[in-house]
């Protein structure tokens, strides 16, 4: 199996936003669908948010089981803040994607409503 390294600074200087997460998601989908292992190198990145991981690695869960994600996506140079954000995102995502589709849709609508109440 081929291994590729993705330098995260080429994607975003900070891993905070959903748009940066979606850029990574696209790259991950491409590599995983071509049966490549991916090393994500977080060198020189110090700012992280769960939102970034929610929109990248966690969104792979409908297509790839968590054990496959952990085997095929290797993370290096991720600081403690990033490790906590990634772990939290994977934990919540795992719970979410284990729900049946109607329950996920209902929960998504509820979250969207709550978020719109804050605006």
């Amino acid at each position: 199996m081929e291994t590729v390294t993705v330098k995260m600074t080429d994607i975003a200087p900070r891993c905070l936003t959903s748009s940066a997460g979606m850029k990574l998601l696209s790259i991950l989908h491409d590599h995983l669908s071509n049966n490549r292992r991916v090393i994500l190198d977080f060198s020189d990145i110090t700012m992280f948010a769960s939102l970034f991981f929610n929109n990248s690695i966690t969104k792979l869960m409908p297509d790839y089981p968590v054990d496959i994600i952990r085997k095929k996506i290797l993370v290096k140079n991720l600081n403690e803040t990033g490790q906590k954000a990634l772990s939290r995102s994977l934990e919540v995502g795992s719970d979410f994607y284990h729900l049946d589709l109607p329950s996920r849709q209902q929960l998504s609508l509820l979250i969207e409503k709550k978020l719109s109440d804050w605006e």
Side-chain angles (χ1 to χ4, degrees):
M1 176 184 322
E2 181 184 358
T3 300
V4 296
T5 298
V6 175
K7 199 163 166 53
M8 294 304 299
T9 52
D10 293 341
I11 295 172
R14 293 172 297 285
C15 296
L16 298 171
T17 65
S18 60
S19 61
M22 288 185 282
K23 283 183 194 176
L24 177 58
L25 177 64
S26 176
I27 291 166
L28 291 172
H29 262 298
D30 179 52
H31 289 306
L32 294 177
S33 67
N34 287 299
N35 199 33
R36 295 183 191 114
R37 178 177 290 131
V38 181
I39 298 172
L40 299 178
D41 184 355
F42 286 92
S43 296
D44 301 320
I45 297 184
T46 58
M47 298 176 73
F48 301 91
S50 294
L51 181 62
F52 169 79
F53 292 113
N54 291 347
N55 285 284
S56 57
I57 297 171
T58 302
K59 281 203 173 175
L60 293 168
M61 289 181 171
D63 300 321
Y64 300 94
V66 174
D67 60 322
I68 297 296
I69 292 171
R70 290 182 192 271
K71 285 180 188 174
K72 291 195 171 192
I73 300 173
L74 308 173
V75 174
K76 73 179 205 180
N77 300 314
L78 184 63
N79 70 20
E80 186 178 346
T81 302
Q83 289 173 13
K84 287 179 182 177
L86 175 57
S87 291
R88 190 170 33 256
S89 179
L90 290 174
E91 181 181 332
V92 171
S94 181
D95 291 342
F96 179 78
Y97 287 112
H98 276 95
L99 297 172
D100 58 50
L101 184 58
S103 296
R104 285 197 319 249
Q105 290 171 331
Q106 185 177 13
L107 183 56
S108 293
L109 288 172
L110 178 64
I111 291 169
E112 284 178 29
K113 179 175 181 348
K114 290 294 180 187
L115 289 174
S116 70
D117 289 346
W118 288 1
E119 293 178 349

